[in-house]
């Protein structure tokens, strides 16, 4: 199959979905209104609550939600063939992921910009809210562990790759100092500095790798990188946001959109053939990358790009505090998710243009690949061209980089530049991932401070330095331990399962809110994907425990799975009880003409809980 067919189908489907289904959600289901004040207007403080142009907010939201998930998940899922992953991305982004992102953003806007745990407490009950807080903390730990393992597998024993990735850190700091201290507000100047330094670091990469002294300093083992990344996460979570977090987010937005746009054009001009079969023999299980069959593991392997619970953290975090009016929820929430789905499709294409033997040689562990009886075809030559040993680097990052480099270098005016494009792709992926590490670790520290603050009040003060250092160290140590002791075949399925459990939880909460607002006839838009994913997540979790973790003696990961599934079960049971109670009330409040009393109450804001501003 030609890749152009797939990318053209995705572009058309997403455009039609936004125009029709997105508007249906905005007009009929959520009844988004320009005249209603948003938290950004009502509680404007110039710090957290800030009315923001929808295009700028789209950039911020997309940069926050589009981490490594839509890049790596589809690559790993290519083990099952290109068709299962493509169908889940196309259908899931439209009917599940886009709906999820839009409804959580809508719920947070109607709940004064509050977090998913506060919304759960208001919509379901106090117990469910507290349980959700703990579950979110667990999910953040697993998310960061899964993302960082992919970075470790891409960068170990690679001085060129390590140099280009590490260079982005001081570049972001230089930009931060320039835009905050030297010339405050000079975004154009900071952008020019950042882009020029990035280009210089990519150009200098091969020279650094060729120097014995520098190469030796920048060559790290997996274990060394597994220690360095948590140390970086600790620093990034405790430093002022303007010093590292904000400039990195800003740089990554342009880098993400620019690179994805260039990749789309490359696919259009090159028209590479998808060498991966539509369905592989591993569709029913026995694969060397992700254990188990496509059903249910496909739905947790592609943890982003089709549906992602991590988006619920962002959609009830900074974004709802900046929405200028409710109508922007369609563009920012649904629109950004469709763009992420498009990114996931291109990541899938980049993996599937490789020959299956080469794809598995990169993504399977050497011991697992040796059992397949396969022999790499183009991989030795590809390794020579990129200047790296790429075989036996599981995690998806390396095969994606090789695929992207292959597509770019196939253009006539870019012949001989595969090594540069490969290391650019590695840096591009690392910026995606490290942005999530920055933001995710900081959010995790906030949650941990909030929880410990109930035991010892000073922890709740975000300006108390000992509390910042202690909670930052505890949180980074938690996910750092998993990175140090785990691998992609164990951590990624656990991350995917927990991530999708959170997405399911958000969809169930959104269903409750729709019913409470007198929209029971439209509750199927959230209830459908939520009820579809619930048994899949639980089934995948059970299989992870019994067939992956326990046979390998990974009792910690098995325990984490059991705890997380138990926590979410409490939330789901509480939610269903609330769901049923609201449906009974809804029937009683429907008069003979079919008018909804709850809908009228919502317009008077009587149905919306008046939550205190302080969580």
């Amino acid at each position: 199959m030609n890749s152009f067919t797939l990318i053209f189908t995705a572009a058309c489907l997403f455009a039609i979905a936004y125009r029709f289904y997105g508007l249906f959600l905005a007009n009929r289901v959520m009844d988004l209104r320009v005249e209603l004040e948003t938290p950004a207007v009502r509680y404007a403080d110039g710090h957290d609550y800030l009315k923001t142009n929808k295009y700028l907010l789209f950039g911020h939201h997309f940069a926050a939600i589009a981490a490594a998930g839509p890049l790596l998940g589809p690559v790993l899922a290519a083990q099952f063939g290109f068709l299962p992953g493509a169908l889940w991305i196309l259908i899931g982004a439209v009917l599940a992921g886009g709906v999820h992102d839009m409804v959580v953003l809508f719920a947070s806007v109607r709940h004064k910009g509050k977090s998913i745990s506060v919304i759960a407490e208001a919509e379901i009950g106090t117990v469910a809210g507290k349980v959700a807080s703990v579950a979110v903390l667990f999910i953040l730990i697993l998310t960061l562990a899964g993302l960082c393992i992919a970075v470790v597998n891409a960068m170990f024993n690679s001085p060129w790759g390590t140099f280009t990735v590490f260079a982005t850190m001081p570049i972001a700091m230089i930009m931060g100092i320039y835009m905050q201290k030297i010339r405050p507000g000079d975004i154009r100047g900071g952008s020019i500095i950042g882009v020029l330094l990035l280009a210089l670091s990519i150009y200098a990469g091969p020279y650094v790798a060729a120097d014995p002294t520098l190469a030796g300093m920048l060559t790290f083992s997996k274990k060394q990188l597994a220690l360095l990344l948590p140390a970086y996460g600790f620093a990034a979570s405790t430093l002022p946001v303007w010093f590292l977090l904000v400039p990195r987010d800003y740089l990554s937005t342009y880098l993400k959109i620019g690179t994805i746009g260039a990749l789309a054009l490359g696919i259009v001009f090159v028209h590479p053939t998808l060498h991966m079969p539509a369905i592989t023999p591993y569709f029913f299980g026995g694969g060397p990358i992700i254990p188990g069959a496509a059903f249910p593991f496909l739905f947790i392997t592609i943890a982003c790009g089709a549906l992602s619970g991590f988006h619920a953290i962002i959609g009830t975090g900074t974004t709802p505090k900046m929405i200028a009016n409710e109508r922007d929820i369609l563009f920012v929430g649904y629109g950004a998710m469709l763009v992420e789905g498009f990114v996931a499709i291109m990541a899938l294409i980049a993996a599937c243009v490789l020959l299956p033997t080469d794809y598995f040689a990169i993504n399977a562990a050497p011991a697992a690949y040796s059992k397949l009886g396969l022999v790499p075809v183009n991989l030795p030559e590809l390794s020579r061209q990129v200047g790296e040993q790429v075989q036996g680097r599981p995690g998806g990052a390396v095969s994606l980089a090789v695929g992207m480099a292959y597509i770019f270098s196939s253009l006539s005016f870019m012949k001989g530049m595969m090594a540069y494009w490969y290391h650019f792709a590695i840096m591009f992926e690392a910026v995606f991932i490290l942005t999530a590490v920055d933001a995710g670790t900081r959010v995790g520290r906030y949650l941990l401070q909030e929880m410990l603050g109930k035991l010892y009040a000073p922890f709740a003060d975000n300006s108390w330095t000992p509390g910042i250092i202690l909670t930052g160290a505890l949180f980074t140590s938690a996910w750092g331990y998993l990175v140090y002791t785990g691998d992609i075949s164990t951590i990624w399925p656990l991350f995917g399962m927990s991530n999708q459990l959170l997405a399911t939880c958000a969809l169930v909460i959104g269903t409750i809110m729709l019913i409470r607002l007198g929209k029971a006839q439209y509750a199927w838009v959230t209830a459908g994907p939520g009820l579809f994913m619930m048994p899949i997540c639980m089934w995948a979790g059970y299989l992870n425990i019994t067939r992956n973790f326990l046979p390998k003696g990974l009792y910690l990961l098995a325990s984490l799975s059991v705890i997380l599934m138990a926590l979410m079960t409490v939330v789901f049971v509480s939610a269903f009880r609330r769901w049923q109670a609201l449906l009974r009330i809804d029937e009683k409040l429907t008069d003979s003409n079919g008018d909804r009393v709850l809908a009228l109450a919502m317009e008077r804001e009587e149905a919306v809980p008046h939550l205190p501003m302080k969580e």
Side-chain angles (χ1 to χ4, degrees):
M1 178 178 174
N2 193 284
S3 58
F4 180 76
T5 303
L6 185 55
I7 198 172
F8 180 75
T9 301
C12 291
L13 178 64
F14 290 154
I16 293 171
Y18 182 87
R19 174 62 180 83
F20 293 100
Y21 195 55
L23 281 177
F24 166 74
L25 295 172
N27 296 334
R28 297 292 185 87
V29 179
M30 300 174 199
D31 193 20
L32 302 180
R33 304 182 181 186
V34 177
E35 66 271 15
L36 292 182
E37 279 189 338
T38 63
V41 177
R42 182 176 299 180
Y43 308 114
D45 59 9
H47 181 68
D48 292 321
Y49 292 84
L50 180 66
K51 181 179 178 180
T52 306
N53 176 276
K54 71 175 184 178
Y55 298 104
L56 295 177
L57 187 57
F58 179 94
H60 161 79
H61 185 73
F62 177 73
I65 65 171
L71 295 177
L72 304 186
V75 173
L76 298 176
Q79 147 182 304
F80 303 121
F82 73 81
L83 185 60
L87 289 176
W88 171 230
I89 293 169
L90 294 175
I91 298 172
V94 172
L95 299 180
V99 175
H100 168 276
D101 288 17
M102 197 171 172
V103 79
V104 296
L105 188 52
F106 165 73
S108 187
V109 167
R110 289 289 176 93
H111 281 275
K112 305 181 180 180
K114 296 301 181 179
S115 66
I116 185 67
S117 58
V118 175
I119 296 171
E121 186 172 345
E123 294 290 345
I124 305 175
T126 302
V127 174
K130 303 304 181 187
V131 171
S133 296
V134 177
V136 168
L137 192 65
F138 269 88
I139 290 168
L140 270 175
I141 291 172
L142 297 172
T143 298
L144 296 174
L147 298 181
C148 284
I149 282 180
V151 177
V152 168
N153 287 333
M155 290 171 51
F156 81 93
N157 294 335
S158 175
W160 188 345
T162 301
F163 170 76
T164 54
V165 171
F166 279 17
T168 63
M169 300 174 193
I171 290 173
M173 294 178 182
I174 292 170
M175 289 179 62
I177 293 172
Y178 176 84
M179 293 187 292
Q180 182 73 18
K181 301 295 184 182
I182 299 176
R183 297 195 63 179
D186 185 8
I187 298 176
R188 178 179 296 179
S191 302
I192 294 173
I193 292 173
V195 171
L196 289 177
L197 290 176
L198 273 176
L200 181 62
S201 68
I202 296 172
Y203 176 79
Y207 299 101
V208 171
D211 186 279
T213 303
L214 293 176
M217 294 171 57
L218 293 168
T219 300
F220 299 103
S221 66
K222 288 185 177 182
K223 295 299 184 182
Q224 289 173 322
L225 287 172
L227 294 174
L228 287 173
L229 286 177
Y232 163 74
F234 170 77
S237 69
T238 54
L239 289 171
V241 291
W242 61 262
F243 188 53
L244 181 60
L245 183 65
V246 171
R248 179 179 290 281
D249 276 349
Y250 178 75
L251 256 187
S252 69
T253 300
Y254 287 98
L255 187 62
K256 290 174 183 180
I257 295 175
T259 303
I260 291 302
L263 180 60
L265 289 175
I267 292 172
V268 169
F269 283 108
V270 176
H271 285 198
T273 299
L274 299 179
H275 294 292
M276 186 68 70
I279 296 177
T280 70
Y282 306 117
F283 182 84
F284 298 103
I289 301 171
I290 297 296
F295 197 91
F297 284 97
L298 171 71
F299 302 96
I300 67 170
T301 300
I302 304 182
C304 301
L307 176 67
S308 172
F310 184 70
H311 295 189
I313 299 174
I314 304 301
T316 61
T318 55
T319 305
K321 298 177 179 65
M322 296 187 286
I323 288 283
N325 72 71
E326 282 197 351
R327 297 297 298 181
D328 292 347
I329 292 175
L330 169 62
F331 178 68
V332 175
Y334 198 70
M337 182 61 231
L338 293 184
V339 173
E340 181 168 322
F342 192 69
V343 171
I345 284 291
M346 284 189 287
L348 181 67
I349 290 174
C352 293
V353 297
L354 300 175
L355 291 175
T357 55
D358 295 334
Y359 165 83
F360 286 110
I362 297 173
N363 286 287
Y369 185 74
S370 64
K371 298 178 182 178
L372 300 179
L374 301 176
V375 178
V377 178
N378 296 327
L379 201 58
E381 177 60 20
L382 291 174
S383 295
R384 186 192 67 78
Q385 291 185 34
V386 302
E388 298 281 357
Q389 174 54 254
V390 297
Q391 184 168 346
R393 291 180 179 266
V398 170
S399 60
L400 174 60
V402 171
M404 290 175 63
Y406 169 78
I407 292 171
F408 285 135
S409 62
S410 297
L411 296 170
S412 58
F413 57 91
M414 291 186 181
K415 296 290 185 182
M417 295 181 63
M418 191 164 179
Y420 280 98
W421 280 118
Y422 171 81
H423 289 93
F424 174 83
I426 289 292
M427 182 194 65
F428 161 73
E429 295 173 59
V431 169
F432 260 60
I433 296 171
L434 292 177
T435 299
V437 172
D438 292 347
T441 304
R442 188 173 290 269
V443 171
R445 177 173 66 78
Y446 288 157
L447 288 173
L448 195 55
Q449 280 188 262
E450 180 182 315
M451 295 170 69
L452 293 178
K454 296 175 181 178
L455 302 175
Y456 184 59
F459 276 107
D461 183 3
N462 288 331
S463 63
W464 189 47
T465 302
I468 293 173
I469 294 174
L470 180 59
T471 53
L474 286 173
F475 188 73
T476 52
S477 297
W479 63 259
Y481 177 79
L482 294 178
V483 175
Y484 191 82
T485 59
D487 58 53
I488 198 69
S489 67
T490 56
I491 295 297
W492 193 271
L494 179 54
F495 151 62
M497 183 273 292
S498 61
N499 185 60
Q500 303 303 61
L501 267 180
L502 179 58
T504 304
C505 177
L507 287 166
V508 170
I509 294 171
T511 302
I512 293 173
M513 185 170 174
L514 290 178
I515 296 172
R516 181 178 60 76
L517 296 179
K519 298 288 185 177
Q521 71 270 35
Y522 298 123
W524 55 267
V525 301
T526 50
L531 294 176
F532 172 75
M533 288 301 300
M534 192 178 300
I536 286 176
C537 293
M538 292 297 183
W539 184 21
Y542 170 76
L543 294 177
N544 267 337
I545 295 169
T546 58
R547 300 184 183 180
N548 192 11
F549 299 152
L550 292 181
K552 296 179 180 179
L554 301 173
Y555 301 114
L556 174 62
L557 298 184
S559 300
L560 288 175
S561 299
V562 171
I563 292 171
L564 189 59
M565 292 166 68
L567 290 173
M568 282 303 183
T569 299
V570 172
V571 176
F572 291 149
V573 170
S574 301
F576 288 143
R577 288 176 178 173
R578 175 69 170 157
W579 193 342
Q580 292 173 347
L582 285 173
L583 285 174
R584 287 195 295 268
I585 295 172
D586 187 64
E587 291 176 0
K588 294 178 181 179
L589 291 177
T590 302
D591 64 16
S592 59
N593 294 323
D595 297 325
R596 302 284 180 181
V597 176
L598 276 178
L600 296 176
M602 184 272 290
E603 293 183 16
R604 298 194 302 268
E605 295 188 355
E606 294 175 4
V608 180
H610 293 279
L611 299 174
M613 280 299 297
K614 188 174 182 180
E615 293 185 26

